[in-house]
Amino acid sequence: MKQLLFIARIFSTVFRPSYYPTVGTFILLCFTYLSLFPWVFKLWILALVYTFTFCLPAIGIYIYRRLNGWSTYELRKRHKRAVPYIVSICCYLCLMHIFHITHIPHFLMAIVGISLLIQCSCVTINLWWKVSTHSAGSGGVIGAIIAYAAIFGFNPIWWLSLAILVSGCVMTSRMILRQHTLWQVLGGTLIGIVCGIVGTILM
């Protein structure tokens, strides 16, 4: 049982929603026509995405938690997560603005846009019903793969299989850790898939 909990914690930590924009950006820069860009430009993009989607939100949330004297556990309570969500959303909006004024390629902006759309959807739905943002993040990858396959015209079966496998592991880990119920992880995944498809098409 302890080993199972340990593995579940690893999956829950490794596949945090805040990592997906950086990972998605890395994949686009390596496996699409964007790989033709100079490596200095690609490193700059990755650093920018990592800073605004992980570092700055993490620092802002940490400061907010310390000012309130809360433990990490306290932020798991639904009514105390509004401000952390707002901090994260503001950082994503700033990154979107930077991408817009610097004319970053459409597909790179879509990755950030999908993550932003997922966060806004989860914030809104969490006002009435708790959903898993971890599952929503992994579902967003599935939706994005489906949309990109339709746009670029490639066979997504292997990427899609891997994404579904990872998503299943993430959902299972959240239930093993008793952070969410089955319906909460399924709801989060469905939200992520819809946001991934819609975000890719609209961005």
Side-chain angles (χ1 to χ4, degrees):
M1 186 63 181
K2 289 183 179 179
Q3 290 180 339
L4 190 61
L5 287 172
F6 178 71
I7 294 172
R9 289 193 187 97
I10 290 177
F11 266 96
S12 189
T13 301
V14 171
F15 294 100
R16 291 175 61 180
S18 53
Y19 293 152
Y20 286 113
T22 303
V23 174
T25 301
F26 175 79
I27 291 173
L28 283 181
L29 290 173
C30 291
F31 298 104
T32 69
Y33 72 92
L34 299 176
S35 62
L36 297 174
F37 284 113
W39 65 269
V40 174
F41 173 79
K42 291 188 283 189
L43 287 177
W44 178 77
I45 290 293
L46 282 172
L48 201 60
V49 172
Y50 183 74
T51 299
F52 278 88
T53 62
F54 180 77
C55 294
L56 292 182
I59 292 171
I61 292 169
Y62 175 78
I63 293 173
Y64 174 73
R65 182 171 63 82
R66 296 289 292 182
L67 288 175
N68 286 280
W70 293 343
S71 65
T72 305
Y73 177 79
E74 288 292 318
L75 283 182
R76 294 177 182 175
K77 297 179 180 179
R78 186 171 59 180
H79 65 283
K80 293 183 178 181
R81 297 173 71 180
V83 172
Y85 270 127
I86 292 171
V87 170
S88 183
I89 288 171
C90 287
C91 291
Y92 276 65
L93 287 172
C94 288
L95 179 58
M96 291 282 288
H97 178 67
I98 293 172
F99 275 6
H100 177 70
I101 62 177
T102 53
H103 304 289
I104 293 299
H106 159 82
F107 295 112
L108 287 175
M109 188 178 292
I111 292 292
V112 180
I114 291 168
S115 300
L116 180 60
L117 187 58
I118 289 173
Q119 286 196 58
C120 291
S121 299
C122 288
V123 168
T124 304
I125 294 173
N126 272 324
L127 294 175
W128 296 279
W129 183 56
K130 185 180 180 182
V131 294
S132 170
T133 53
H134 279 73
S135 300
S138 61
V141 175
I142 296 173
I145 290 173
I146 293 171
Y148 278 122
I151 293 170
F152 288 111
F154 68 89
N155 185 353
I157 187 65
W158 292 109
W159 286 102
L160 200 55
S161 298
L162 178 61
I164 292 172
L165 176 62
V166 170
S167 181
C169 291
V170 171
M171 289 191 291
T172 303
S173 69
R174 299 306 288 170
M175 289 189 292
I176 289 174
L177 296 172
R178 297 183 179 179
Q179 297 298 315
H180 296 283
T181 65
L182 174 62
W183 291 110
Q184 288 169 353
V185 296
L186 288 175
T189 303
L190 181 60
I191 291 168
I193 292 172
V194 172
C195 290
I197 294 173
V198 173
T200 303
I201 293 173
L202 294 182
M203 285 297 163

